Amino acid sequence: MSEQVQKVRRALVGRVVSDKMQKTVTVLVESRVKHPLYGKIITRSAKYHAHVEDGAATAGDLVEIEECRPISRTKTWRVAKVLEKARVI
């Protein structure tokens, strides 16, 4: 019983839409699903508040977030890694 069991955490990929808060970013996650009756592909979207410690993610970045313990009332996700930085024009 001394084995440490690694818990499987949900992971999502989304785009940072806001980084105005301290140590928090808002991530927009879009998923394409098939309508159950009509069969048309529709886009569902959800926004999550994610914890980022050192300000590594800024607006426009593509990030991977993973589920974690509740950090605040709205934050139960944290930024696992930045997949793609936003292009500055």
Side-chain angles (χ1 to χ4, degrees):
M1 288 262 223
S2 63
E3 294 178 17
Q4 188 74 11
V5 177
Q6 181 71 17
K7 186 170 183 173
V8 177
R9 294 196 167 125
R10 289 195 300 163
L12 299 172
V13 176
R15 190 146 314 260
V16 176
V17 292
S18 173
D19 61 347
K20 304 277 187 207
M21 298 169 275
Q22 296 176 0
K23 297 186 178 183
T24 305
V25 292
T26 304
V27 179
L28 179 71
V29 176
E30 291 183 334
S31 61
R32 293 165 49 91
V33 295
K34 193 172 186 178
H35 191 279
L37 179 61
Y38 301 116
K40 182 177 179 177
I41 302 295
I42 54 177
T43 303
R44 296 278 170 101
S45 63
K47 286 184 183 176
Y48 299 100
H49 286 161
H51 183 74
V52 57
E53 190 60 45
D54 52 358
T58 57
D61 292 351
L62 189 68
V63 295
E64 179 180 314
I65 57 175
E66 68 178 9
E67 202 172 28
C68 64
R69 64 176 179 82
I71 298 170
S72 71
R73 187 175 65 143
T74 58
K75 280 200 298 188
T76 56
W77 296 84
R78 79 168 142 247
V79 174
K81 57 185 157 187
V82 177
L83 301 174
E84 177 185 306
K85 295 297 280 183
R87 288 187 290 153
V88 179
I89 299 173

